[in-house]
């Protein structure tokens, strides 16, 4: 009797699993070409991405920041090339760089470009040139939880002084001056930062360091420089903490913001709300670092820009690959995958899945030149 | 007639005879079982040794690197801090959180155990005991989620009240942080987590109290409370201590709940209501592991070695207490 019931239970479970698999298959076809996509289906040129005889498997590892986008890229790429398989292990930027240099993975993701020593070691691993490509651009949002206030404008100096706990109340004259007409409550400010070492922290602090000048006296690193404050692990932890408190302010990958209020950054005197387009604009307006080896495209972000409509707090995560692989099949796979990632289709996929900012055309042309040279 | 007599008189011998009478090597199964059991026992020791050796080997690079080099290579070790100075506040935070949890959980657990063993009507007692066992089986990450997302916001007013009214006690020094990602909240959630295991073991021990002791106490005119104080508690004391140590072990190593609830910081502060002052070893390892470089991993494993040593010391101390108390327990 009991056995029979158990068997029936198993059958039911199998049915549920099968049904969910079917549903899943329906949903994951092509989110961009879906007629129900807001704004209509996106027509993109897939020429050069799909190749009938591409097969093989490659593995990558690295930054956790890229994880959501990377999953979407892998799903999209494997959807187009049924016999190709790509894996990505989000072990962290440092781990990714190490594994790439040691030859454990074919490509890697990292929030920080390789330093001189690492470049040398990586060149040795590749037996030549290393490709370093800015393929993931993600805006960092400054989020807050103040009842009744949905949007605030703040200059870099004000943001720096708030996070440095030198502005401690929401109705501080400095905040009020930048937000005429907003009813600010008399409430303590609780800054929230990341408790783990992260590229998000590093890029946010670098922004404060460059754009706020003397108002941010700390050196930029991936570890928050002040102690004795509220903090949480990961972007979602910070967002959760900001949501749980009142009068809290924090910074997070823009894709996790949810319903929280966001800060529009004053650039050249005008408030700019975060958006993928505004974040892409700062990358377009920034030159490449000059003394890098060929194939290494490192963007020198102009975080203190005063250009109108540019959102300056962004994180750029790089993809590492070799220009030459010993195994031609590996080379072909890496080339095809990175071509897909850099393509409009790939970048739109990351924008949909992870709130990333799509690459500008000028930068894409430079990236494609390097990608096409991978052999 | 004779066979039945034999069976009752000398059951093992007859069983042996039935399995393989008179053949050489007749006790193969018995010997194989003895070897297996011995092997299982030895495996425990081997595992313990393997863990210790692993920790020492992997922590060695961090322990032998000069302090300034270590601080240079690992971003989360501040300039001018040695490895020991880095581990110190972590050990402090770990012990403080665990002791706090124990201080809150043990009295409540003893109360529940006594209620189940001596106060509740029989039917209610067995049901309650079953529920306590169920609670002990809930994974800690569930308690962590529940504690962090549901319980913590509801504790906040209490922490503000404590800071406002009892702030003169250093433990409750204000202002209480908002949101309440503080060690006090961690202590409460850890207490809830270790409550079931302490209760379950204590209840079993209290139920073992010799009936004669209890009845003798009652016969001498003791009330139920006096009977518990005179007969049950002295008998169960060493058992309760072992139960508390089991709970302490769980609290010391708890990772997910602390990681999700606490805003970490590195100091020797007793201010339980302030955020960014404490961190535990296990949560710190989970927090920093993802982005750590090889030397960083080694330093984290060194903190893990510290936790391993603390746990061993705590358990040995518990053994010693239990052994010392045994003769006074009234069990003999």
């Amino acid at each position: 009797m009991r056995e029979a019931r158990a068997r029936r239970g198993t059958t039911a479970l199998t049915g549920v699993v099968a049904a969910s698999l079917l549903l899943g298959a329906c949903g994951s076809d092509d989110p961009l070409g879906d007629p129900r996509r807001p704004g209509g289906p996106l027509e993109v040129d897939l020429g050069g991405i799909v190749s009938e005889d591409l097969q093989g498997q490659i593995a990558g590892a690295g930054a956790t920041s890229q994880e959501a986008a990377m999953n979407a890229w892998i799903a999209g790429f494997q959807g187009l090339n049924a016999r190709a398989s790509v894996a990505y292990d989000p072990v962290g930027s440092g781990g990714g760089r190490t594994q790439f240099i040691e030859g454990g993975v074919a490509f890697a993701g990292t929030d920080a470009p390789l330093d001189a020593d690492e470049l040398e070691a990586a060149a040795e691993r590749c037996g030549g040139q290393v490709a370093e490509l800015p393929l993931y651009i993600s805006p960092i949002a400054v989020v807050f939880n103040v009842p009744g206030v949905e949007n605030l404008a703040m200059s870099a100096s004000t943001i720096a002084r708030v996070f440095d706990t030198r502005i401690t109340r929401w109705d501080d004259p400095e905040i009020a001056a930048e937000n005429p007409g907003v009813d600010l409550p008399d409430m303590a400010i609780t800054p929230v930062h990341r408790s783990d070492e992260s590229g998000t922290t590093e890029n946010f602090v670098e922004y404060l360091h460059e754009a706020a000048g003397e108002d941010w006296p700390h050196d930029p690193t991936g570890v928050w420089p002040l102690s004795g404050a509220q903090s949480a692990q990961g972007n979602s932890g910070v967002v959760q903490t900001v949501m749980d408190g009142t009068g809290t302010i924090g910074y997070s990958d823009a894709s996790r913001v949810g319903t929280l209020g966001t800060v529009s950054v004053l650039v050249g005197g005008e408030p700019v709300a975060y958006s993928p387009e505004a974040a892409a604009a700062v990358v377009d307006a920034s030159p490449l670092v000059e003394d890098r080896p060929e194939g290494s495209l490192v963007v020198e972000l102009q975080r203190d820009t005063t250009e109108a409509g540019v959102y300056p707090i962004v994180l750029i995560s790089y993809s590492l690959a070799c220009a030459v692989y010993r195994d031609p099949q590996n080379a072909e796979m890496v080339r095809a995958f990175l071509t897909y990632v850099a393509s409009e289709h790939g970048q739109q996929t990351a924008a949909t899945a992870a709130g990333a900012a799509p690459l500008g055309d000028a930068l894409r042309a430079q990236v494609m030149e390097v990608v096409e040279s991978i052999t | 007639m004779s066979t039945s007599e034999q069976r009752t008189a000398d059951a093992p011998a007859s069983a042996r005879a039935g399995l393989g009478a008179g053949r050489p090597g007749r006790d193969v199964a018995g010997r194989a079982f003895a070897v297996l059991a011995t092997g299982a026992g030895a495996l425990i020791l081997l595992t313990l040794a393997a863990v210790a050796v692993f920790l020492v080997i992997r922590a060695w690079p961090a322990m032998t690197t000069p302090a300034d080099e270590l601080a240079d290579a690992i971003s989360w070790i501040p300039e001018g801090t040695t490895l020991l100075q880095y581990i110190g506040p972590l050990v402090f935070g770990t012990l403080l959180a665990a002791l706090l949890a124990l201080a809150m959980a043990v009295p409540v657990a003893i109360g529940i155990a006594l209620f189940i063993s001596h106060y509740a009507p029989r039917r209610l007692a067995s049901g309650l005991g079953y529920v306590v066992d169920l609670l002990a089986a809930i994974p800690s990450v569930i308690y962590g989620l529940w504690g962090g997302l549901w319980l913590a916001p509801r504790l906040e007013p209490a922490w503000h009240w404590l800071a406002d009214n009892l702030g003169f006690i250093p433990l409750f020094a204000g202002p209480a942080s908002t949101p309440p990602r503080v060690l006090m909240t961690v202590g409460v959630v850890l207490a809830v987590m270790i409550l079931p295991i302490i209760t379950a073991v204590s209840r079993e021990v209290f139920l073992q109290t010799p009936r004669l002791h209890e009845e003798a106490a009652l016969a001498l005119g003791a009330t139920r409370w006096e009977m518990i104080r005179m007969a049950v508690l002295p008998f169960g004391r060493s058992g309760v201590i072992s139960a508390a140590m089991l709970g302490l072990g769980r609290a010391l190593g708890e990772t997910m709940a602390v990681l999700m609830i606490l805003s970490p910081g590195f100091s020797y502060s007793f201010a339980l209501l302030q955020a960014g002052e404490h961190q535990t070893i296990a949560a710190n390892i989970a927090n920093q592991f993802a982005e750590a470089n090889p030397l960083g991993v080694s330093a984290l494993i060194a903190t893990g070695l510290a936790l391993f040593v603390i746990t061993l010391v705590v358990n040995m101390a518990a053994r010693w207490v239990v052994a010392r108390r045994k003769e006074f327990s009234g069990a003999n």
Side-chain angles (χ1 to χ4, degrees):
Chain A
M1 172 62 200
R2 182 175 291 173
E3 212 169 274
R5 197 183 297 158
R7 206 174 303 138
R8 210 177 306 141
T10 318
T11 321
L13 192 65
T14 320
V16 170
V17 170
S20 59
L21 281 177
L22 279 172
L23 285 174
C26 295
S28 69
D29 269 336
D30 177 15
L32 298 178
D34 195 309
R36 288 163 301 178
R37 179 181 182 270
L42 186 74
E43 299 289 340
V44 282
D45 177 24
L46 290 174
I49 301 177
V50 188
S51 145
E52 285 294 311
D53 48 344
L54 185 69
Q55 61 169 314
Q57 41 188 320
I58 50 168
T64 46
S65 59
Q66 294 192 30
E67 188 182 0
M70 191 59 83
N71 287 341
W73 284 328
I74 290 174
F77 180 69
Q78 291 180 163
L80 295 172
N81 302 284
R83 295 199 292 166
S85 143
V86 181
Y88 183 76
D89 186 7
V91 293
S93 296
R97 291 200 295 272
T98 311
Q99 289 192 24
F100 179 74
I101 288 169
E102 288 170 352
V105 289
F107 69 99
T110 170
D111 292 344
L114 297 173
D115 62 26
D117 292 349
E118 288 171 327
L119 262 177
E120 208 173 296
E124 202 171 301
R125 179 252 151 136
C126 289
Q129 206 180 316
V130 182
E132 212 169 352
L133 310 163
L135 288 176
Y136 179 68
I137 302 165
S138 165
I140 297 171
V142 179
V143 294
F144 60 85
N145 187 5
V146 178
V149 183
E150 275 172 18
N151 201 328
L152 282 176
M154 286 191 192
S155 63
S157 296
T158 310
I159 298 176
R161 289 162 65 83
V162 164
F163 277 94
D164 201 21
T165 63
R166 277 180 291 159
I167 296 177
T168 56
R169 304 209 64 90
W170 282 104
D171 57 354
D172 190 278
E174 221 172 307
I175 301 179
E178 286 168 357
N179 294 282
V182 178
D183 190 16
L184 292 164
D186 175 19
M187 185 186 278
I189 299 181
T190 307
V192 182
H193 62 85
R194 285 281 289 267
S195 62
D196 48 336
E197 183 180 5
S198 73
T200 312
T201 300
E202 187 164 5
N203 281 277
F204 180 64
V205 173
E206 249 165 35
Y207 163 73
L208 296 179
H209 182 71
E210 282 169 32
E214 285 173 7
D215 286 318
W216 185 257
H218 313 282
D219 284 335
T221 66
V223 180
W224 190 251
L226 300 156
S227 60
Q230 292 277 2
S231 61
Q233 192 202 25
N235 282 308
S236 45
V238 169
V239 167
Q240 183 66 45
T241 306
V242 171
M243 232 183 299
D244 284 347
T246 45
T248 42
I249 184 167
Y251 57 92
S252 143
D253 190 289
S255 59
R256 317 288 175 99
V257 167
T259 56
L260 286 171
T262 53
V263 170
S264 297
V265 180
L266 288 172
V267 179
E270 286 298 313
V272 183
Y274 94 85
S275 69
E277 294 72 29
V282 72
V283 180
D284 288 339
S286 303
L288 293 176
V289 177
E290 284 189 355
D291 55 347
R292 303 287 292 185
E294 205 185 332
S296 166
L297 306 177
V298 176
V299 179
E300 188 166 15
L301 271 179
Q302 301 292 301
R303 295 185 166 93
D304 52 355
T305 181
T306 52
E307 214 167 301
V310 166
Y311 185 80
I313 320 178
V314 299
L315 172 152
I316 298 185
S317 198
Y318 294 87
S319 296
L320 301 177
C322 290
V324 179
Y325 286 88
R326 283 189 196 94
D327 179 358
Q329 199 185 23
N330 257 358
E332 197 182 344
M333 278 291 296
V334 171
R335 188 173 63 234
F337 180 60
L338 293 182
T339 304
Y340 169 74
V341 169
S343 72
E344 212 181 330
H345 188 274
Q347 290 290 312
Q348 284 297 339
T349 304
T352 316
L359 278 184
D361 288 334
L363 188 56
R364 172 177 303 120
Q366 285 173 295
V367 167
M368 286 310 297
E369 202 176 306
V370 177
V371 171
E372 274 161 17
S373 71
I374 293 176
T375 48
Chain B
M1 169 69 194
S2 71
T3 34
S4 92
E5 234 166 47
Q6 213 178 340
R7 222 173 264 155
T8 43
D10 190 8
S14 79
R16 233 181 356 223
L19 276 172
R23 262 179 273 145
R26 60 202 148 99
D27 197 16
V28 175
R31 259 184 237 155
F33 182 73
V35 168
L36 276 179
T38 315
L43 195 64
I44 286 290
L45 288 177
L46 274 180
T47 314
L48 194 69
V51 169
V53 167
F54 157 82
L55 286 173
V56 171
I57 288 178
R58 295 296 300 272
W60 195 251
M63 292 195 289
T64 48
T65 308
D68 41 339
E69 238 175 83
L70 201 66
D72 268 353
I74 305 171
S75 48
W76 29 264
I77 294 188
E79 213 58 51
T81 309
T82 64
L83 186 62
L84 275 182
Q85 281 167 336
Y86 178 71
I87 296 178
L90 286 172
V91 170
F92 174 79
T94 307
L95 288 177
L96 190 61
L99 290 177
L100 194 64
L102 213 55
M104 286 189 257
V106 167
V108 181
I110 291 178
I112 301 175
L114 278 178
F115 176 74
I116 293 176
S117 65
H118 284 83
Y119 280 89
R122 177 160 300 207
R123 188 171 290 187
L124 183 63
S126 65
L128 263 180
Y130 179 66
V131 171
V132 168
D133 290 343
L134 268 186
L135 280 176
I138 295 179
S140 59
V141 66
I142 308 287
Y143 281 115
L145 278 174
W146 172 79
L149 298 181
W150 189 88
L151 186 63
R154 282 156 184 81
L155 289 172
E156 195 176 346
W159 296 167
H160 282 294
W161 185 88
L162 274 180
D164 291 345
N165 295 287
L166 297 171
F168 57 89
I169 303 172
L171 285 179
F172 303 134
S177 295
T178 159
R181 296 169 58 82
V182 296
L183 201 69
M184 195 71 171
T185 311
V186 171
V188 172
V189 174
L190 286 182
V192 175
M193 286 172 58
I194 63 178
L195 191 65
I197 186 80
I198 302 180
T199 308
V201 175
S202 305
R203 180 199 60 195
E204 287 308 312
V205 174
F206 292 151
L207 284 174
Q208 302 296 320
T209 314
R211 197 100 200 126
L212 275 177
H213 291 202
E214 294 178 19
E215 279 169 8
L218 291 173
L220 286 172
T223 61
R224 182 134 56 158
W225 158 235
E226 284 165 337
M227 178 272 281
I228 285 173
R229 224 179 40 185
M230 287 192 296
V232 179
L233 286 182
F235 176 83
R237 187 172 294 149
S238 63
V240 171
I241 291 173
S242 340
M245 290 302 146
L246 270 180
L248 186 63
R250 191 169 178 187
L252 282 173
E254 178 47 40
T255 309
M256 282 318 290
V258 182
L259 188 64
M260 284 191 277
I261 295 168
L262 188 64
S263 281
F266 296 83
S267 73
Y268 294 99
S269 159
F270 279 101
L272 299 177
L273 299 178
Q274 290 178 11
E277 302 286 345
H278 313 92
Q279 174 70 310
T280 72
I281 294 176
N284 187 56
I285 293 176
N287 198 19
Q288 299 293 8
F289 198 83
E291 293 284 334
N293 54 22
L295 202 57
V297 170
S298 177
L300 288 177
I301 291 178
T303 65
L305 183 63
L307 182 61
F308 183 72
V309 172
I310 293 173
T311 320
L312 281 190
V313 168
V314 163
N315 270 298
M316 282 197 269
R319 287 261 147 205
W320 178 72
V321 170
V322 170
R324 206 174 54 114
R325 292 273 182 187
K326 204 184 275 165
E327 42 204 297
F328 308 115
S329 71
N332 36 13

